[in-house]
Amino acid sequence: MSEPYYRYHVFFCTNLREDGKVCCAQRGAQAMRDYAKARVKELGLDGPGQVRVNNAGCLDRCQEGPCVVVYPEGVWYSYVDREDIDEIIDSHLCQGRPVDRLKI
């Protein structure tokens, strides 16, 4: 089995539901994804063998707040602000320690 292309693959739900139901896009998900991508790049964590931050379509957990999932572990998070995103990056992506308080 070969090494994974990325150490961590981070998917932000940025889905916008046209029917008016609660969705991550209504809660600023795109701005948080853009912030996370820029911060990962700023820290030099981006690129092959490191971290990839992507948009995702609906991850079907919108009722639990805006959500993000980190693979390969499959750890699901909800977040409120940049401080939460910073904590996910600093703890999980930099140190390999998931953030229990943000898990869903």
Side-chain angles (χ1 to χ4, degrees):
M1 185 180 217
S2 64
E3 290 293 314
Y5 193 73
Y6 295 109
R7 180 174 177 216
Y8 293 112
H9 209 150
V10 183
F11 292 94
F12 277 77
C13 178
T14 57
N15 187 57
L16 175 61
R17 291 185 173 167
E18 300 294 334
D19 61 6
K21 290 183 181 176
V22 173
C23 65
C24 294
Q26 295 168 339
R27 297 176 177 164
Q30 186 65 53
M32 287 295 122
R33 178 263 181 202
D34 294 347
Y35 172 76
K37 189 168 183 79
R39 180 122 192 286
V40 162
K41 187 172 186 167
E42 174 185 301
L43 293 171
L45 300 173
D46 63 319
Q50 297 192 82
V51 177
R52 174 75 180 180
V53 177
N54 278 98
N55 285 327
C58 186
L59 294 174
D60 202 28
R61 295 189 83 174
C62 296
Q63 295 296 346
E64 297 175 79
C67 64
V68 59
V69 61
V70 178
Y71 287 106
E73 300 95 341
V75 176
W76 289 80
Y77 294 111
S78 185
Y79 55 87
V80 174
D81 52 28
R82 286 183 174 196
E83 288 76 22
D84 289 345
I85 298 300
D86 287 339
E87 190 171 356
I88 293 167
I89 292 169
D90 296 342
S91 183
H92 194 149
L93 304 183
C94 290
Q95 300 173 32
R97 292 191 326 245
V99 182
D100 289 336
R101 74 174 190 86
L102 298 174
K103 285 182 182 179
I104 53 174

